[in-house]
Amino acid sequence: MKNIQIVIGSDHGGFEYKEKIIEYLKSENISYEDIGTYSKDSCDYPEIAQKAAKKIINNEADKGILICGTGIGMSIAANKIKGIRAAHCTDTFSAKASRAHNNSNILCLGQRITGECIALDIVKTWLNSAFEGGRHQIRVDKIE
Ligand code: RB5
C-alpha cells in the first residue's frame, strides 16, 4: 500500500484547477499530497513535474495529476523520468485509453485550453479506468 493515492501539482498556469481537483479528491476520500505551487505567483513547471514523478517512482504515491497552462510542459518534463508515462489529455476517451492501453501513471491537464467541467470529467474518468494488461503490457514493456 502506497502512502498516498495521488500526488498533485501545478504551476501558476494550473493553480486554480489544482485547487478544484483537490476539492474533488477530498469529496471522494481519495488520499493526496499537494506538492504546490501554492499561489498564482509565477514558477517553473519542470520542478513540480520532477517532484511528482520522483514520488511515483519512489513508490510514495500511486499516480499523479499535473496541471499547467497547456498541460504540454508538464507532460514533456514528467516523461523525461524513466518509468513515468504521463498522458496529456483533453478528452475523456483519451483519458480512459491512456489508462487501459498505456497504463499512464500521470494525468496532465491544461487550465488554459480545457474547460473546467471537462477537466473534472477527465480526472474522474482517468481515476476510474484500469490498465487492461495483456498485449498492452507487452507494448508498455517495450517503452521501458
Ligand atoms: C506558463 O506561462 C506556461 O508556459 C505553463 O503553464 C505551461 O503552459 C507550459 O507548458
Side-chain angles (χ1 to χ4, degrees):
M1 181 76 175
K2 309 272 167 53
N3 290 337
I4 51 167
Q5 289 167 272
I6 298 294
V7 56
I8 184 165
S10 76
D11 71 353
H12 54 291
F15 174 72
E16 288 171 29
Y17 276 19
K18 176 170 70 69
E19 299 304 300
K20 301 269 181 197
I21 294 166
I22 285 173
E23 279 175 31
Y24 171 72
L25 297 176
K26 280 182 183 167
S27 75
E28 293 292 312
N29 286 319
I30 296 170
S31 62
Y32 67 91
E33 181 180 352
D34 178 4
I35 58 165
T37 188
Y38 303 110
S39 77
K40 291 182 186 174
D41 293 346
S42 184
C43 65
D44 299 332
Y45 61 83
E47 292 178 9
I48 301 288
Q50 284 164 16
K51 192 170 178 183
K54 284 178 185 168
K55 285 191 179 280
I56 294 165
I57 295 307
N58 292 336
N59 275 324
E60 293 168 48
D62 184 20
K63 295 198 279 289
I65 299 175
L66 292 170
I67 313 106
C68 62
T70 59
I72 296 171
M74 284 293 195
S75 60
I76 291 172
N79 277 318
K80 292 287 182 193
I81 310 292
K82 186 170 167 55
I84 291 299
R85 294 173 301 280
H88 174 223
C89 296
T90 56
D91 64 276
T92 53
F93 183 89
S94 299
K96 185 174 181 181
S98 83
R99 289 287 305 124
H101 291 196
N102 314 117
N103 200 13
S104 59
N105 49 14
I106 292 184
L107 171 66
C108 297
L109 297 166
Q111 181 177 296
R112 295 176 185 155
I113 59 163
T114 302
E116 184 181 316
C117 294
I118 294 172
L120 282 170
D121 272 355
I122 290 170
V123 168
K124 292 173 194 172
T125 301
W126 188 75
L127 289 173
N128 288 305
S129 300
F131 182 47
E132 287 177 6
R135 69 187 188 283
H136 301 298
Q137 183 65 60
I138 294 166
R139 294 162 186 166
V140 168
D141 288 344
K142 289 187 177 186
I143 297 172
E144 298 306 316

